[in-house]
């Protein structure tokens, strides 16, 4: 009986890089940061999903062409671009990277070592604006994602962790919404049995003035707030049909998102009327008053202030 020859090995990690009208120099910096990691070509897979950029950046990336899988689609938004990347990814693990950001080598290598040598489902790290942060070669874990959510205020950014593709199941990003990470990450976390958390500042986040989250027009603001409440209600549905331990973990996240919803209503509208409407929306679904829990100092303080008329006046006057 003959044996198969030249069967390609499965990559350790698939990097899904999304781009839309990002300056080529920033995308080059992003890809360079991945290529400089201590991963052999057979260990990595770099999938660049171009979500309908006006002019394809591929012609300006000659030094990267042999190292990437380039996919161009009509503009459908970040969720659809990430979902396309997931559809194509063959690695054991997945890392999302926004094309205008980049990975910082030394702290990210620490996270790579965890997935190499531990039975990890997720490895959490920090975003930073420092170009040369210190590397704390420590980590906590493993614990289950449920326990982690019981004990911590979750950082939802999908770029803030490496995850095992096998835990994903049918979970995908919801197309067409803002704050899609807030819906995706808590559900992914519930599926993780072995979570490791680090203080490694491994992801350089670049805030751009022309990014979609910086828009201030009324239509954009209304959609952002509507999408937040939609995510809250969807997570509430998930919680109600989940085992008790999962439900408690999700309810903590729902309470914190409800706080963020009210905070963003104040910040984006500065309107007593809009704040009242937001409170009534939460109240209709049993989410206001915010649960009397000491999740964080910020949550405890905000809960008290938004729960009374004088506190709401102070919040409206001070949040900018």
């Amino acid at each position: 009986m003959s044996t198969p020859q030249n069967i390609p090995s499965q990559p350790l990690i698939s990097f899904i890089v999304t781009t839309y009208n990002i300056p080529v120099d920033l995308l080059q910096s992003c890809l360079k940061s991945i290529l400089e990691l201590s991963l052999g070509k057979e260990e990595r897979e770099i999938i660049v999903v171009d979500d309908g950029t006006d002019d394809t950046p591929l012609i300006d990336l000659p030094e990267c062409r042999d190292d990437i899988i380039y996919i161009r689609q009509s503009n459908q938004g970040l969720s659809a671009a990430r979902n396309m990347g997931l559809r194509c990814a063959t690695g054991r693990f997945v890392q999302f990277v926004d094309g205008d950001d980049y990975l910082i080598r030394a702290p990210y290598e620490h996270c790579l070592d965890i997935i190499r040598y531990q039975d990890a489902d997720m490895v959490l790290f920090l975003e930073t604006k420092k170009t040369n942060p210190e590397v704390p070669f420590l980590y906590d874990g493993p614990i289950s994602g449920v326990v982690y959510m019981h004990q911590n205020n979750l950082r939802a950014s999908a770029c803030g962790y490496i995850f095992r593709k096998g835990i994903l199941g049918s979970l995908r990003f919801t197309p067409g919404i803002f704050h899609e990470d807030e819906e995706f990450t808590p559900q992914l976390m519930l599926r993780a049995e072995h979570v490791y958390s680090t203080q490694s500042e491994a992801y350089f986040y670049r805030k751009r003035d022309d990014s979609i989250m910086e828009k201030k027009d009324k239509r954009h603001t209304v959609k952002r707030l509507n999408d937040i409440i939609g995510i809250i209600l969807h997570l509430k549905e998930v919680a109600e049909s989940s085992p008790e331990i999962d439900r408690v973990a999700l309810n903590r996240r729902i309470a914190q998102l409800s706080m963020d919803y009210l905070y963003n209503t104040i910040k984006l509208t500065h309107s007593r009327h809009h704040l009242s409407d937001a409170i009534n929306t939460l109240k209709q679904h049993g989410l206001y008053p915010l649960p009397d829990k000491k999740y964080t100092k910020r949550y405890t303080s905000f809960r008290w202030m938004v729960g009374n008329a004088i506190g709401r006046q102070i919040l409206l006057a001070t949040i900018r």
Side-chain angles (χ1 to χ4, degrees):
M1 182 174 66
S2 62
T3 57
Q5 300 295 318
N6 300 321
I7 297 176
S9 59
Q10 183 182 23
L12 175 67
I13 182 166
S14 295
F15 297 92
I16 298 175
V17 180
T18 51
T19 181
Y20 173 68
N21 285 345
I22 290 174
V24 171
D25 62 324
L26 299 187
L27 183 57
Q28 285 175 325
S29 176
C30 174
L31 297 175
K32 182 181 177 183
S33 75
I34 299 172
L35 292 170
E36 289 180 344
L37 296 170
S38 63
L39 291 163
K41 195 164 185 176
E42 72 286 351
E43 292 182 291
R44 68 167 187 257
E45 178 179 64
I46 305 174
I47 303 170
V48 178
V49 184
D50 180 347
D51 189 44
T53 296
D54 294 339
D55 297 306
T56 175
L58 191 60
I59 59 174
D60 296 313
L61 299 170
E63 71 281 9
C64 299
R65 289 181 192 175
D66 292 339
D67 295 295
I68 66 175
I69 299 167
Y70 178 76
I71 301 168
R72 182 173 170 83
Q73 64 180 28
S74 60
N75 181 239
Q76 301 171 57
L78 179 58
S79 290
R82 285 177 172 170
N83 288 342
M84 174 60 74
L86 287 172
R87 190 182 311 163
C88 300
T90 65
R92 288 164 47 208
F93 291 86
V94 172
Q95 172 70 62
F96 292 112
V97 189
D98 291 343
D100 49 352
D101 301 330
Y102 62 85
L103 302 176
I104 303 175
R105 181 171 182 173
Y108 194 79
E109 295 280 4
H110 174 47
C111 301
L112 285 177
D113 283 344
I114 296 173
I115 66 170
R116 283 181 175 120
Y117 303 116
Q118 305 295 335
D119 183 24
D121 290 325
M122 295 182 73
V123 179
L124 315 180
F125 49 84
L126 303 178
E127 295 179 348
T128 186
K129 293 185 178 179
K130 302 174 188 174
T131 56
N132 190 28
E134 295 182 4
V135 184
F137 291 106
L138 300 170
Y139 56 81
D140 294 320
I143 59 173
S144 71
V146 173
V147 172
Y148 182 89
M149 289 176 66
H150 274 270
Q151 299 175 352
N152 296 275
N153 187 13
L154 185 65
R155 295 185 299 271
S157 170
C159 295
Y161 50 81
I162 307 169
F163 70 93
R164 184 183 297 275
K165 189 170 185 281
I167 69 172
L168 190 63
S170 61
L171 180 63
R172 295 294 184 271
F173 293 91
T174 299
I177 65 171
F178 297 139
H179 307 286
E180 59 281 324
D181 295 3
E182 297 287 4
E183 182 180 55
F184 179 87
T185 298
Q187 296 181 84
L188 183 67
M189 183 72 71
L190 292 180
R191 299 163 185 240
E193 293 297 327
H194 302 100
V195 175
Y196 292 82
S197 59
T198 79
Q199 294 300 306
S200 296
E201 295 176 312
Y203 188 93
F204 186 87
Y205 171 72
R206 201 188 306 269
K207 186 175 180 180
R208 294 168 56 213
D209 292 338
D210 60 346
S211 73
I212 193 166
M213 295 309 292
E214 294 304 309
K215 290 184 178 179
K216 305 296 184 183
D217 62 88
K218 183 177 180 180
R219 182 178 177 183
H220 181 86
T221 295
V222 169
K223 178 167 173 53
R224 279 188 65 180
L225 295 174
N226 286 343
D227 285 349
I228 293 174
I229 193 64
I231 289 167
I232 291 169
L233 297 181
H234 178 235
L235 292 178
K236 184 172 183 289
E237 282 184 17
V238 174
E240 289 169 350
S241 62
S242 297
E244 182 178 0
I245 189 170
D246 291 12
R247 184 165 60 250
V248 172
L250 274 178
N251 282 341
R252 171 172 179 156
R253 190 62 194 157
I254 290 165
Q256 291 166 325
L257 284 174
S258 298
M259 178 191 77
D260 291 343
Y261 171 60
L262 296 176
Y263 179 90
N264 282 319
T265 298
I266 296 169
K267 184 175 181 178
L268 295 172
T269 71
H270 306 293
S271 164
R272 183 178 288 105
H273 172 72
H274 283 98
L275 177 58
S276 178
D277 284 349
I279 287 172
N280 286 333
T281 298
L282 291 176
K283 190 180 292 185
Q284 289 170 13
H285 297 279
L287 298 172
Y288 182 91
L290 299 178
D292 186 8
K293 303 285 186 180
K294 293 180 171 59
Y295 293 137
T296 64
K297 290 182 179 179
R298 180 173 179 263
Y299 174 88
T300 302
S301 174
F302 186 89
R303 178 192 176 276
W304 181 85
M305 293 188 74
V306 82
N308 65 83
I310 294 176
R312 289 193 291 272
Q313 288 180 6
I314 294 172
L315 290 171
L316 283 163
T318 57
I319 292 176
R320 289 290 181 264

